[in-house]
Amino acid sequence: MELLRVTEADAEELVAIYAPYVLETAVSFETEVPSVEEFAERIRTISAKYPYIKAVEDGVILGYAYAAAFKWRAAYDWSVESTIYLRGDQKRKGIGKILYNALEESLRDMGILNMNACIGYPRCEDPHLSMDSPLFHEKLGFQLVGRFNYSGCKFGRWYDMIWMEKMLGEHTENPEPVRFGQWKICQ
């Protein structure tokens, strides 16, 4: 397996990975699968500033991870929101950990200090949403920092949303500027 930059040419394969999360789960709060063209635009916009990484084996994308702006105001420059999706048949094989570790190192190399994750959270046992994502993030050193009740309605059910964060570096009085667009895959 190798880690590579996602390109716009990967949009169709990434949509195929993402679609089951939209259609069958509350992992994503999107309710309609984006078009390949829309996904390509998302890739173009995000990867211009932030890491967008895919795990590939024998020419097949197994999963992808990326970071995007936490908020678009300058004082938030050192914070990102992270995202990861794996093909359904690639879960629990360590690929997510490899992708997220590479994403984290790439962000740290850019000067990012806060890695945040917005995660759908079930209010009770649920066929559309498990505890996998919160537990995954916790194992990687993220800590719960907030919970918003009844934040999203999907499949006729209300879901909470939690925020988890991981500090990637020291928060000094005058931090170095983030090196947007100057990211590489750090492994």
Side-chain angles (χ1 to χ4, degrees), residues 6-18:
V6 167
T7 69
E8 293 171 49
D10 298 317
E12 186 172 355
E13 201 168 350
L14 268 56
V15 168
I17 292 169
Y18 183 57

Side-chain angles (χ1 to χ4, degrees), residues 77-78 110-113 170 172-180:
D77 280 357
W78 296 268
M110 288 174 56
I112 297 295
L113 300 175
E170 183 181 349
T172 61
E173 190 172 307
N174 294 301
E176 291 291 319
V178 174
R179 293 173 296 286
F180 291 115

Side-chain angles (χ1 to χ4, degrees), residues 8 15 17 27 37 64 74 97 116 119 121 148 159 170-171 178 185:
E8 293 171 49
V15 168
I17 292 169
V27 170
E37 294 76 22
Y64 62 96
K97 182 178 180 181
N116 304 296
I119 302 168
Y121 196 84
F148 297 88
Y159 295 96
E170 183 181 349
H171 291 73
V178 174
I185 299 173

